[in-house]
Amino acid sequence: MGSKLALPALYLVATCAGFLFSQINAPLPWMIGPLFATAILTATGLTKVKVSTRTRPFGQIVVATFVGSHFTPEALHSLLRTAPLLISVGLFVLFAAMLVAQIQRRIYGTDPVSALLAVVPTSPVEASVLAERFGVPHGPIVLAQTARIALVVAVIPFLLHLGSTEQGVLAEVLPRQDGLAGIAVTLAGALLGPVIFRVLKFANPFFLGPLFVIAALSALDFPAYDIPAPLLAAAQIVLGTWLGSSFRPELLEQRNRLIGQILLSSTLLLVACILGAKALSWLFGAPFATVLMGIAPGGVTEMALTAGVLGQDVAMVTAMQLTRIFLIMPNLGWIARLTHRRKPPAKQPEAGE
């Protein structure tokens, strides 16, 4: 196949994989489907296509705009009303993840930065960006982050359904489509966010910039226009394909080691979050199911949908998830930098995660 057709063909395969995953109701199908398909093709050497990092900002901006739009006035009111609980949830997840990273590091000898980026719940894309910055292999980190999301999305709803005495009804959330004004405000926020964050020299400007600006506009109830589903799917396909292309053939050589690390870290973090939800729900007098969905290290969208199905407080769950994002993502860079300085570079070549 000609080199000019190789990349479009890879995107076509990735799109088909996303569609297949959506048909079987897999979590985050339009990102995880392309990620798996591209990873298999790349790791087995069936394709040697280089997916440019220049495609990444498009996906980051679109996804960040979508996530930021969840920070509605209702979510803001929940944040203001229960700020101590929300901050406690975010800090608990961060410290639990750092502890799990230390345990993994001691058992498997993983280098500190790789262990941290693999375990701390953040976007696989953002974890991969930081891995590049610190010069550690990002393929294992992407795999660990993706596996964690899939595990959480599969296990948490199942546990809550088992423990639920009532079957809630999913309340349909109508998309906001405030005409030209909504389009203009949303587009301006999505485009200005990265510019502002780059000027201020903040980390990950293409994700954090739109996320913060759109979240602020949404919380203040400015006119908005929801990201169309096809555009959101396209952004996830772009990101999933780029992430999958980082799974080089050498990853297959350490697959047993990787599987052990991923199972250990994901399971320990999930158990810690369940115990933490129990303790925090008792301490603050909040419903356990709501706190568990808010503390779960999964995706904002999936946990919000689960809250709707079980008849829980969707605004509260969304506020907890977004508070965690706002606490972790801007600070993960300097935490990784501090961790990086504790170990000499010579200790890092055999990064696991």
Side-chain angles (χ1 to χ4, degrees):
M1 182 180 295
S3 58
K4 292 183 179 180
L5 296 178
L7 185 58
L10 182 61
Y11 277 122
L12 178 60
V13 171
T15 302
C16 292
F19 176 76
L20 176 61
F21 272 55
S22 70
Q23 295 303 299
I24 61 175
N25 296 318
L28 301 176
W30 295 104
M31 179 179 287
I32 294 181
L35 192 159
F36 280 2
T38 308
I40 291 171
L41 292 174
T42 303
T44 56
L46 292 176
T47 181
K48 297 185 177 357
V49 177
K50 299 279 188 183
V51 180
S52 173
T53 57
R54 294 180 181 179
T55 63
R56 191 168 62 201
F58 162 72
Q60 289 177 293
I61 290 172
V62 172
V63 172
T65 300
F66 173 75
V67 173
S69 67
H70 282 71
F71 203 71
T72 59
E74 291 77 15
L76 176 62
H77 294 155
S78 292
L79 187 152
L80 296 176
R81 188 175 66 250
T82 58
L85 170 61
L86 303 185
I87 294 173
S88 297
V89 165
L91 290 176
F92 178 87
V93 174
L94 176 59
F95 286 117
M98 293 173 68
L99 177 60
V100 170
Q102 286 296 316
I103 294 173
Q104 175 189 294
R105 200 182 125 219
R106 290 185 178 277
I107 293 176
Y108 287 96
T110 312
D111 78 85
V113 175
S114 293
L116 178 73
L117 295 180
V119 175
V120 173
T122 184
S123 160
V125 178
E126 306 316 313
S128 180
V129 171
L130 287 173
E132 287 182 350
R133 183 183 305 172
F134 289 102
V136 298
H138 57 155
I141 292 172
V142 171
L143 180 60
Q145 290 282 349
T146 304
R148 170 185 51 78
I149 292 173
L151 178 66
V152 168
V153 171
V155 171
I156 293 296
F158 177 73
L159 289 178
L160 292 176
H161 273 292
L162 284 181
S164 176
T165 57
E166 296 182 359
Q167 180 63 40
V169 178
L170 178 61
E172 182 180 0
V173 179
L174 296 177
R176 291 191 61 182
Q177 296 182 341
D178 298 332
L180 291 177
I183 294 175
V185 170
T186 301
L187 187 60
L191 296 179
L192 285 176
V195 174
I196 294 171
F197 269 53
R198 290 194 75 178
V199 170
L200 297 177
K201 296 183 179 180
F202 285 140
N204 302 333
F206 292 109
F207 188 84
L208 291 179
L211 178 65
F212 273 80
V213 173
I214 294 297
L217 293 174
S218 181
L220 295 173
D221 207 20
F222 273 71
Y225 199 94
D226 278 358
I227 296 291
L231 180 60
L232 182 61
Q236 293 178 82
I237 290 169
V238 167
L239 291 175
T241 303
W242 173 74
L243 289 170
S245 69
S246 65
F247 285 74
R248 312 314 304 177
E250 53 267 24
L251 275 181
L252 294 178
E253 299 173 4
Q254 48 177 314
R255 58 186 179 275
N256 292 333
R257 175 186 175 88
L258 283 176
I259 291 172
Q261 292 179 27
I262 291 169
L263 287 176
L264 174 70
S265 60
S266 298
T267 302
L268 286 178
L269 183 59
L270 185 55
V271 170
C273 287
I274 293 173
L275 296 176
K278 194 69 175 176
L280 290 172
S281 66
W282 173 81
L283 182 63
F284 289 95
F288 169 70
T290 301
V291 177
L292 180 57
M293 284 181 283
I295 203 173
V300 177
T301 305
E302 286 70 32
M303 292 302 105
L305 287 174
T306 303
V309 170
L310 295 178
Q312 299 295 321
D313 189 339
V314 177
M316 174 72 80
V317 171
T318 303
M320 280 191 277
Q321 289 283 336
L322 289 176
T323 301
R324 186 195 77 219
I325 291 174
F326 291 156
L327 279 174
I328 290 179
M329 293 195 66
N331 295 303
L332 189 54
W334 71 261
I335 294 174
R337 192 177 305 113
L338 184 63
T339 303
H340 180 70
R341 288 173 180 170
R342 289 180 179 175
K343 285 282 183 180
K347 300 262 183 179
Q348 295 179 7
E350 294 197 89
E353 290 179 19

